[in-house]
């Protein structure tokens, strides 16, 4: 399961999505995620699905690789679906199991919430898979640059977010190595109840925290040795400049938002059970 976490990883490819300015991808991802919560009909989800799959196709990232990121949240997804399915009143009762009832409103809410969670993960993963950590840092810093006028440390915030994204795959790899080492020494990490499994994780967490602090200390020393003093007065080897394709991408995103808001919010839909 650890290897299935794709957030923070970069998948190199020669695609139109990879070549876009990181600011376009950051803004586009935020707008897409916000749009998922404006739907009131299935038409909005159809448009969101078509748009997302078109972006995945253009990115040339294997769909199986992207879907792998859904495995770690499968339990959370099932819990969310179950709560919405059995605890949402409204409409006709479709199924009753003791005190639990499945209503039309509960069924539609459960389906919508499941789709939202899935699209949230895939959409976020698409941005990180097609953008290097350095590009993400530069894009965030450029987008938040106006906040410098009110003394907000924009460069430091962007740098911390970039370092956090870089450490995700490193820590996952370190965790995998520690688990394999503990299993080779006879540790049982799978059997037992929930409490026993939690206790079995302690021999993994201790060396993982030690390794994390060591890596953080090494990174801090390396930055000090290179006289890092923040963003003031720093220049970029590759400054961000909008190209024609970036403006086209903005236009497509604006058109998508307008269409999906109108169609998904004002055209009614009802799930019919046959």
């Amino acid at each position: 399961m650890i290897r299935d976490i794709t957030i923070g990883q970069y998948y190199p490819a020669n695609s139109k999505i990879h070549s876009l300015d990181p600011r376009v991808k950051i803004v586009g991802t935020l707008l897409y995620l916000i749009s998922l919560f404006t739907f009131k009909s299935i038409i909005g989800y159809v448009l969101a699905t078509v748009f997302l799959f078109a972006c995945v196709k253009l990115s040339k990232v294997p769909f199986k690789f992207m879907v792998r990121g859904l495995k770690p949240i499968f339990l959370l997804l099932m819990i969310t679906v179950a709560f919405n399915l059995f605890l949402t009143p409204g409409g006709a009762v479709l199924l009753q199991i003791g005190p639990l009832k499945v209503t039309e409103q509960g069924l539609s809410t459960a389906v919508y919430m499941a789709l939202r969670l899935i699209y949230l993960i895939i959409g976020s993963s698409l941005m990180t898979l097609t953008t290097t950590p350095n590009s993400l840092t530069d894009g965030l810093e450029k987008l938040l640059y106006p906040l410098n006028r009110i003394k907000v440390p924009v460069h430091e915030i962007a740098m911390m977010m970039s370092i956090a994204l870089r450490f995700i795959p490193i820590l996952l790899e370190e965790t995998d190595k520690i688990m394999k080492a503990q299993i080779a020494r006879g540790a049982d990490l799978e059997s037992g109840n929930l409490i026993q499994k939690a206790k079995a994780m302690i021999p993994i967490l201790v060396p993982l925290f030690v390794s994390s602090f060591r890596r953080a200390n090494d990174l801090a020393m390396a930055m000090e040795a290179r006289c890092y003093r923040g963003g003031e007065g720093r220049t970029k080897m590759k400054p961000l400049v909008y190209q024609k394709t970036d403006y086209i991408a903005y236009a497509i995103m604006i058109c998508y938002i307008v269409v999906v808001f109108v169609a998904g919010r004002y055209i009614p839909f009802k799930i019919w059970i046959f």
Side-chain angles (χ1 to χ4, degrees):
M1 183 178 292
I2 291 177
R3 295 182 178 180
D4 294 329
I5 299 177
T6 57
I7 294 179
Q9 298 184 23
Y10 174 70
Y11 187 91
N14 184 18
S15 71
K16 295 181 179 179
I17 302 295
H18 282 76
S19 62
L20 289 176
D21 191 288
R23 291 170 291 180
V24 177
K25 287 182 274 190
I26 293 172
V27 173
T29 302
L30 289 176
L31 291 177
Y32 179 77
L33 299 184
I34 292 172
S35 72
L36 294 176
F37 295 91
T38 63
F39 305 149
K40 286 187 176 180
S41 73
I42 194 64
I43 296 178
Y45 285 93
V46 171
L47 294 173
T49 303
V50 172
F51 183 80
L52 181 60
F53 276 80
C55 291
V56 173
K57 186 69 175 179
L58 288 174
S59 69
K60 296 183 180 180
V61 178
F63 187 70
K64 292 182 179 180
F65 183 82
M66 195 165 293
V67 172
R68 249 172 45 185
L70 297 174
K71 292 182 180 179
I73 68 159
F74 181 77
L75 180 60
L76 175 63
L77 182 63
M78 291 296 100
I79 293 175
T80 303
V81 169
F83 271 90
N84 284 279
L85 188 63
F86 292 107
L87 301 180
T88 303
V93 178
L94 304 176
L95 178 66
Q96 184 168 358
I97 305 175
L100 301 177
K101 297 180 181 180
V102 177
T103 62
E104 288 185 347
Q105 185 65 32
L107 179 59
S108 62
T109 303
V111 172
Y112 287 164
M113 287 303 298
L115 289 174
R116 283 173 180 170
L117 282 175
I118 292 172
Y119 290 175
L120 281 170
I121 297 299
I122 295 179
S124 302
S125 299
L126 182 62
M127 182 186 67
T128 57
L129 288 169
T130 59
T131 314
T132 62
N134 286 338
S135 297
L136 275 177
T137 303
D138 294 341
L140 284 171
E141 185 177 355
K142 202 74 172 179
L143 287 172
L144 299 177
Y145 182 77
L147 297 179
N148 276 326
R149 298 180 179 179
I150 56 176
K151 305 300 180 181
V152 176
V154 172
H155 177 79
E156 286 73 13
I157 293 174
M159 179 62 69
M160 287 189 294
M161 295 183 67
S162 174
I163 292 174
L165 285 174
R166 286 187 180 187
F167 265 70
I168 290 175
I170 294 174
L171 291 179
L172 292 177
E173 183 180 355
E174 191 73 21
T175 303
D176 189 47
K177 290 181 180 179
I178 295 173
M179 290 179 67
K180 288 180 178 178
Q182 296 289 350
I183 293 173
R185 290 171 173 81
D188 187 4
L189 305 177
E190 299 295 334
S191 61
N193 53 33
L194 186 61
I195 297 177
Q196 292 173 339
K197 289 183 179 179
K199 289 181 179 179
M201 294 298 293
I202 295 177
I204 298 174
L205 294 177
V206 173
L208 181 62
F209 274 105
V210 172
S211 175
S212 302
F213 287 127
R214 186 184 297 115
R215 288 182 182 274
N217 185 60
D218 292 342
L219 178 61
M221 293 180 63
M223 295 173 71
E224 289 181 0
R226 289 165 174 78
C227 301
Y228 175 78
R229 294 293 181 271
E232 187 175 355
R234 293 177 64 89
T235 59
K236 303 290 184 182
M237 185 175 69
K238 296 180 180 179
L240 297 179
V241 179
Y242 281 125
Q243 304 295 329
K244 183 180 179 180
T245 53
D246 298 321
Y247 291 110
I248 294 174
Y250 272 131
I252 293 173
M253 196 67 208
I254 292 173
C255 292
Y256 161 77
I257 292 296
V258 172
V259 171
V260 86
F261 180 79
V262 174
R265 191 172 181 83
Y266 295 107
I267 299 178
F269 173 79
K270 181 179 179 181
I271 295 180
W272 295 94
I273 304 299
F274 297 95

